[in-house]
Amino acid sequence: MVRRDRLRRMREWWVQVGLLAVPLLAAYLHIPPPQLSPALHSWKSSGKFFTYKGLRIFYQDSVGVVGSPEIVVLLHGFPTSSYDWYKIWEGLTLRFHRVIALDFLGFGFSDKPASIVEALLRHLGLQNRRINLLSHDYGDIVAQELLYRYKQNRSGRLTIKSLCLSNGGIFPETHRPLLLQKLLKDGGVLSPILTRLMNFFVFSRGLTPVFGPYTRPSESELWDMWAGIRNNDGNLVIDSLLQYINQRKKFRRRWVGALASVTIPIHFIYGPLDPVNPYPEFLELYRKTLPRSTVSILDDHISHYPQLEDPMGFLNAYMGFINSF
């Protein structure tokens, strides 16, 4: 009798826990995005939007050196945004007449981000100008697609003057995605659930390891990154965005071939502690495949986000490249 009463009370307790958990989980899954910090709010307020196929695309466009014809377009990495470039933005305006960056859309990856870059430059009336491309991570793949189109000399495509890549997994054979990326990319029916369950704690614990031990972002900087992802529920499409890893394998010949066959100046800025593109395997393959490209290797404690971890070193490396031709 006592045992039956105990079992009954336990069942009632679990029912009560379940009834309490349901609304709590529902509230959690629909939790609003965090408020923008003053710095991130200022970045958004100083930018603009243009419309691409009915979708609003955020971009920054700063006028720098008066009289210079030079234009640089910045292509950000995964899973963050154009705000990745804020630490070197002012330095770039001291060298270039126009400094432009945009946020990529979260609607799956093929060649669409490259088309958005082309559409933005048409919107700004720069489609016939020679463009310097500076890219990072995911942005390296977008730059490779733009380079392929440039090589094909397709009408309406932008003209590329130079290309500088940084810490992108341009070779699928040396790319080492993080565990969280693998789970989200290959989780099947679980992936949408995992993306909805993702929160700041999971995000920050997943992203921090790609920074060097002495250059990790502060909690406020991580919140800025998370706020950018949560904007317009961007976290819910991370699993589809990660398909670019598979696309990298599918289009390896197209994208690596574009790098190997063009004659424009190409440079690579490398944080050697990068766990995603590990040293020395990545660098050895890069130099073997692209012997014409120059390379800047930053300090040995700099990792996957060199423009954030060592902005002065990154900027000096890029300026050295730009001033070399």
Side-chain angles (χ1 to χ4, degrees):
M1 184 71 176
V2 174
R3 184 180 179 185
R4 283 199 299 269
D5 288 341
R6 187 180 299 165
L7 290 172
R8 178 179 56 80
R9 286 196 297 269
M10 287 182 65
R11 284 196 298 268
E12 290 175 350
W13 183 83
W14 279 111
V15 169
Q16 292 173 356
V17 169
L19 291 174
L20 179 63
V22 168
L24 287 176
L25 182 61
Y28 167 72
L29 294 178
H30 293 87
I31 190 170
Q35 288 190 334
L36 303 185
S37 69
L40 195 56
H41 184 269
S42 175
W43 179 263
K44 182 179 180 181
S45 299
S46 63
K48 300 176 182 177
F49 288 86
F50 85 105
T51 301
Y52 175 79
K53 295 185 177 181
L55 299 165
R56 297 176 75 231
I57 311 296
F58 175 82
Y59 70 95
Q60 286 278 1
D61 178 13
S62 292
V63 176
V65 180
V66 176
S68 169
E70 298 282 356
I71 301 167
V72 61
V73 175
L74 315 178
L75 310 174
H76 71 80
F78 175 91
T80 40
S81 69
S82 59
Y83 192 59
D84 288 353
W85 303 107
Y86 81 98
K87 289 186 177 182
I88 65 169
W89 194 266
E90 184 177 357
L92 291 172
T93 63
L94 299 177
R95 174 61 174 79
F96 294 93
H97 177 56
R98 299 280 286 276
V99 182
I100 300 166
L102 72 159
D103 286 348
F104 294 128
L105 277 172
F107 55 80
F109 192 95
S110 57
D111 60 353
K112 291 178 182 176
S115 298
I116 296 173
V117 175
E118 292 172 337
L120 173 60
L121 293 176
R122 286 195 299 271
H123 172 77
L124 297 175
L126 301 174
Q127 66 271 27
N128 296 319
R129 300 286 296 276
R130 300 178 71 200
I131 305 297
N132 299 285
L133 292 179
L134 174 56
S135 60
H136 170 245
D137 183 65
Y138 173 95
D140 286 2
I141 300 297
V142 181
Q144 287 176 268
E145 173 62 24
L146 289 168
L147 196 63
Y148 172 80
R149 297 179 182 191
Y150 167 72
K151 176 194 168 192
Q152 297 299 308
N153 197 26
R154 297 182 182 177
S155 60
R157 306 309 188 191
L158 62 90
T159 301
I160 301 173
K161 181 178 181 180
S162 72
L163 171 60
C164 181
L165 309 155
S166 59
N167 283 83
I170 59 177
F171 304 116
E173 55 267 49
T174 59
H175 183 248
R176 304 289 183 266
L178 301 175
L179 176 61
L180 183 60
Q181 289 179 308
K182 292 178 182 178
L183 290 174
L184 291 171
K185 177 176 69 76
D186 302 321
V189 294
L190 291 178
S191 293
I193 299 173
L194 292 173
T195 56
R196 188 166 284 277
L197 289 174
M198 183 178 291
N199 56 22
F200 172 75
F201 177 83
V202 174
F203 165 75
S204 60
R205 295 305 180 275
L207 189 68
T208 299
V210 304
F211 286 80
Y214 313 116
T215 54
R216 289 180 174 174
S218 65
E219 185 165 333
S220 62
E221 289 172 325
L222 286 167
W223 272 109
D224 280 343
M225 295 176 185
W226 178 240
I229 292 170
R230 281 297 319 275
N231 185 54
N232 293 327
D233 292 325
N235 59 302
L236 301 184
V237 295
I238 284 179
D239 57 324
S240 60
L241 278 174
L242 276 168
Q243 296 310 310
Y244 81 91
I245 295 175
N246 295 332
Q247 299 252 337
R248 180 185 289 136
K249 296 178 182 178
K250 180 179 179 181
F251 294 109
R252 186 194 189 283
R253 178 176 297 180
R254 171 184 178 127
W255 289 339
V256 176
L259 286 173
S261 60
V262 295
T263 57
I264 65 167
I266 297 178
H267 191 65
F268 197 97
I269 301 176
Y270 184 49
L273 200 59
D274 187 357
V276 181
N277 304 289
Y279 179 89
E281 297 95 324
F282 169 81
L283 195 58
E284 289 174 352
L285 181 58
Y286 183 88
R287 284 175 162 160
K288 178 181 178 181
T289 307
L290 305 171
R292 286 187 55 259
S293 173
T294 51
V295 177
S296 293
I297 304 175
L298 303 182
D299 290 345
D300 58 9
H301 65 276
I302 303 301
S303 188
H304 186 66
Y305 272 86
Q307 76 276 37
L308 292 175
E309 298 179 60
D310 184 11
M312 188 56 66
F314 187 97
L315 188 62
N316 287 340
Y318 185 58
M319 291 306 176
F321 165 61
I322 285 294
N323 292 331
S324 68
F325 56 89

